[in-house]
Amino acid sequence: AVPEGWANSDLCNVCYSRAVGQWCLSSWVWTSAAVARYAASVGDLGTLVRIADAFIARQHETGGWVVRNDYDCGAPAPMLAPNDSCYIAANALLPAFRATSDERYLGAAEACADWAIGSALPSGLVSTGLDVATGKWHNSAIIVDTGFTAALFAGLHEITGNRDYRDFLESFVRAYVDAFRDPLTGGFATSVDESLKPRS
């Protein structure tokens, strides 16, 4: 865990430098949700709740999270990204809700889902991210990892029975397969551009 006093405290270090001999602070906070998922799978409630609470404390007013810092024209670009935010909600908040029945976790996950639905692209996919420093949406490279989005909506439909989550899940998965799958090979593109053409 990142100790108190450092950026992203109570989330997880994700990179150890053997050359330097220490952990590196990372801006990629969404990766801590993978640790939360593991903690849930082995019954480590303390770690799961610590990470889920740290995410709730950092949730953006939109319902998503600033999940990483990209660089745009040489400047840091704090990215509020729907797909990685959905990954956080699906892998940290929903397991925390299932383990504790604490409605805060479910409410935070639903806020994320509502933001993802409301900010979805006309194609049915979700954006790569919003640079909160400039207010500019980035969609020139929608990566295959955007498929993370589906898990949140499947989980929310399972928990709540809300048909809106199932409807978005179905439309998103259709759009995702249409955009990324090559019908000739059956493989998936690594990323697509704004016109949903595979990028080389």
Side-chain angles (χ1 to χ4, degrees):
V2 177
E4 287 299 323
W6 294 91
N8 302 326
S9 59
D10 286 329
L11 294 175
C12 301
N13 287 304
V14 297
C15 180
Y16 184 81
S17 170
R18 290 180 62 185
V20 177
Q22 65 185 21
W23 287 95
C24 304
L25 287 176
S26 171
S27 74
W28 287 56
V29 300
W30 66 269
T31 55
S32 292
V35 179
R37 182 182 65 209
Y38 174 76
S41 75
V42 298
D44 182 353
L45 184 61
T47 298
L48 171 61
V49 166
R50 185 196 82 234
I51 294 170
D53 287 347
F55 277 126
I56 285 180
R58 289 166 173 79
Q59 191 167 24
H60 190 266
E61 62 188 14
T62 58
W65 284 268
V66 175
V67 298
R68 65 182 183 276
N69 282 308
D70 288 348
Y71 280 84
D72 187 24
C73 301
M79 297 303 289
L80 187 66
N83 66 318
D84 292 338
S85 292
C86 288
Y87 184 91
I88 289 168
N91 291 286
L93 300 183
L94 292 187
F97 172 72
R98 288 185 176 110
T100 67
S101 299
D102 187 330
E103 294 284 336
R104 291 181 309 126
Y105 301 125
L106 180 59
E110 289 188 298
C112 178
D114 293 344
W115 173 62
I117 291 171
S119 64
L121 298 169
S123 65
L125 295 176
V126 295
S127 175
T128 299
L130 173 69
D131 179 346
V132 296
T134 65
K136 175 184 170 189
W137 284 96
H138 290 236
N139 294 309
S140 60
I142 301 171
I143 58 174
V144 72
D145 296 10
T146 198
F148 289 160
T149 305
L152 174 60
F153 291 91
L156 283 172
H157 181 259
E158 180 183 308
I159 290 168
T160 68
N162 185 331
R163 181 67 194 221
D164 291 342
Y165 296 137
R166 180 176 171 179
D167 290 347
F168 183 80
L169 171 63
E170 290 176 349
S171 66
F172 172 81
V173 170
R174 278 194 300 272
Y176 178 79
V177 171
D178 288 347
F180 286 92
R181 185 174 182 274
D182 181 342
L184 298 177
T185 67
F188 280 72
T190 306
S191 64
V192 296
D193 63 20
E194 290 179 271
S195 61
L196 306 183
K197 302 295 183 191
R199 297 174 79 241
S200 53

